[in-house]
Amino acid sequence: GLFVWLGVALAIVGLYFLCITESLTIQFGDFLIFICAILFSIHILIIDYFTLRVDGVKMSCIQFFVCGLLCAVPMLLFETPDITQLLAAWKPVLYAGIMSSGVAYTLQIVGQKGMNPTVASLILSLEAVVSVLAGFVMLDQQLTMRETMGCAFMFCAIVFAQLRQKNIKMRICVITGGTGGIGLHLCEGFQRAGYAVTALDVEQHKALPDGIGFIQTDLRQAEAVSEAFRRVTERHGAVHVLVNNAALAHFHKPVMEMTADEFDNALSVNLRGAFLCAQAFIKANAGQGYGRIINIASTRWNQSEAGWEAYGASKGGLVSLTNTLAVSLSATPITVNAVSPGWIQVDGYETLSHLDHAQHPSGRVGIPRDIVNACLFLAHEENDFVNGHNLVVDGGMTKRMIYIE
């Protein structure tokens, strides 16, 4: 975003005033510092990748012990450890090990969770300012006008980089399974409502209207999901609405004929894929004042027919995921809701019988518009008090008691 780029520019100016005093000369030590800067950048990117996938404290402990073991090897090869000297320096050794390497890196990993890695690197570069001010306060060192300006520029850089950009005029919406069935109607409906829409799908089943983006994405692959959201964020700056619509919607098979792999594949797309997209969305929505996750479940989550075990289980899991995410994200502006469609006829509506329609308390079979309207309602910025809800859109069928006479 603009503020982040402005922060980077100010940080460069600030570091110039802080680190380059007289004539610019490049020595071997400067080259080593440059290499360290690259390695720290890689370290920040690695933390950014793993922080949403593993516990931050566990990750810090693993990092601490792995680095300790890796450093022990060259120490034993190129140095002669002396226990007497180690004991004499126990205070600085413990301080460096516990406070600097242990506590500081743990706080970095925990604090970086969900943060833009560029902003994180700018905040961490504030260490240069702290060092200069510590010298002024603790060592009676005098700050030159140049160093004072450098501190001021660095401070402004940190502030600008963290300003929320609420001025993204068009709301950005990602819809999975968006190139066919209800998903295609969702894409068209959100575009008509003024959203910038990107469809994710394993392949493009039908042509999309002009202006709707498409990214081929296999929701079973975590890396593919992360890359898709990275591309959307790179283009639009953020994502405001996620509609988890993708599913193996027509898979049903007698329970004794269904293989474990087939069952796993249904859950991998319908449930795990929605979870992966939710994780990527939370990161893409960071810093925004508004966010919506809408999971397309099904009335089959609690009533079904024979042979729909995999589909029904996945949709039941999706409703449960909706409930938990709504609680987990209570400290964010993101609401999480589900829509459970009943009988929604996408094609061939005219071929339905009178009985098909009449059995519904609403007097008709559902159409894609019914799901689109429900999702647009839940996506609206003012409807933030509807949270953790499963909105059943089935014409009243789940309320009807049916017995065979």
Side-chain angles (χ1 to χ4, degrees), residues 147-329:
E147 290 170 334
T148 303
M149 291 176 59
C151 291
F153 273 106
M154 287 297 297
F155 181 77
C156 291
I158 304 303
V159 172
F160 271 107
Q162 295 180 85
L163 289 177
R164 288 186 175 184
Q165 296 189 62
K166 296 183 180 179
N167 61 338
I168 299 178
K169 296 181 180 180
M170 181 174 287
R171 297 308 189 189
I172 314 304
C173 177
V174 171
I175 299 174
T176 67
T179 66
I182 294 175
L184 178 59
H185 289 270
L186 285 168
C187 287
E188 295 171 343
F190 271 84
Q191 186 189 45
R192 285 194 300 269
Y195 292 78
V197 179
T198 298
L200 309 186
D201 216 325
V202 69
E203 62 179 278
Q204 188 163 351
H205 300 285
K206 293 184 179 180
L208 292 166
D210 291 340
I212 296 179
F214 170 69
I215 301 177
Q216 186 172 7
T217 310
D218 186 346
L219 298 186
R220 295 167 295 186
Q221 305 297 324
E223 294 79 8
V225 172
S226 296
E227 173 62 16
F229 276 84
R230 185 198 66 77
R231 289 173 59 183
V232 175
T233 306
E234 186 178 70
R235 179 179 179 183
H236 296 289
V239 183
H240 300 102
V241 178
L242 165 65
V243 183
N244 276 317
N245 168 75
L248 299 178
H250 302 291
F251 176 71
H252 58 95
K253 196 172 186 180
V255 62
M256 297 307 296
E257 296 179 13
M258 186 184 306
T259 66
D261 286 341
E262 289 174 327
F263 186 88
D264 289 344
N265 189 51
L267 264 68
S268 184
V269 175
N270 300 4
L271 181 57
R272 183 174 180 270
F275 170 73
L276 293 175
C277 287
Q279 278 191 323
F281 170 80
I282 294 167
K283 180 180 177 181
N285 186 257
Q288 300 302 306
Y290 150 80
R292 300 286 182 267
I293 297 176
I294 303 170
N295 296 319
I296 305 299
S298 169
T299 52
R300 291 186 184 273
W301 80 274
N302 71 334
Q303 58 177 180
S304 196
E305 299 172 292
W308 289 84
E309 284 78 10
Y311 183 80
S314 69
K315 294 303 183 179
L318 195 56
V319 172
S320 181
L321 178 65
T322 299
N323 300 338
T324 308
L325 278 175
V327 177
S328 296
L329 299 177

Side-chain angles (χ1 to χ4, degrees), residues 60-76 97 101:
S60 178
C61 291
I62 294 171
Q63 174 182 267
F64 182 84
F65 287 110
V66 169
C67 290
L69 291 174
L70 292 177
C71 291
V73 174
M75 179 192 73
L76 296 174
S101 299

Side-chain angles (χ1 to χ4, degrees), residues 65-139:
F65 287 110
V66 169
C67 290
L69 291 174
L70 292 177
C71 291
V73 174
M75 179 192 73
L76 296 174
L77 290 176
F78 302 108
E79 298 178 1
T80 305
D82 187 332
I83 189 64
T84 304
Q85 294 178 348
L86 288 175
L87 291 175
W90 69 271
K91 287 184 179 181
V93 169
L94 283 179
Y95 175 81
I98 296 176
M99 297 302 296
S100 180
S101 299
V103 175
Y105 277 117
T106 301
L107 293 176
Q108 176 195 343
I109 292 171
V110 173
Q112 197 181 322
K113 185 175 182 179
M115 177 175 285
N116 185 320
T118 305
V119 177
S121 66
L122 286 174
I123 294 175
L124 291 171
S125 68
L126 198 62
E127 181 180 0
V129 176
V130 174
S131 299
V132 172
L133 295 179
F136 173 74
V137 174
M138 301 173 63
L139 302 177

Side-chain angles (χ1 to χ4, degrees), residues 299 303 341-345 349 352-367 370 392-402:
T299 52
Q303 58 177 180
W343 183 350
I344 304 297
Q345 191 73 19
Y349 197 82
L352 299 177
S353 68
H354 171 74
L355 182 60
D356 292 332
H357 293 291
Q359 65 181 312
H360 290 76
S362 290
R364 66 174 177 85
V365 173
I367 57 177
D370 300 317
V392 177
V393 184
D394 71 340
M397 279 297 292
T398 52
K399 304 303 180 185
R400 184 165 191 168
M401 185 179 293
I402 301 175

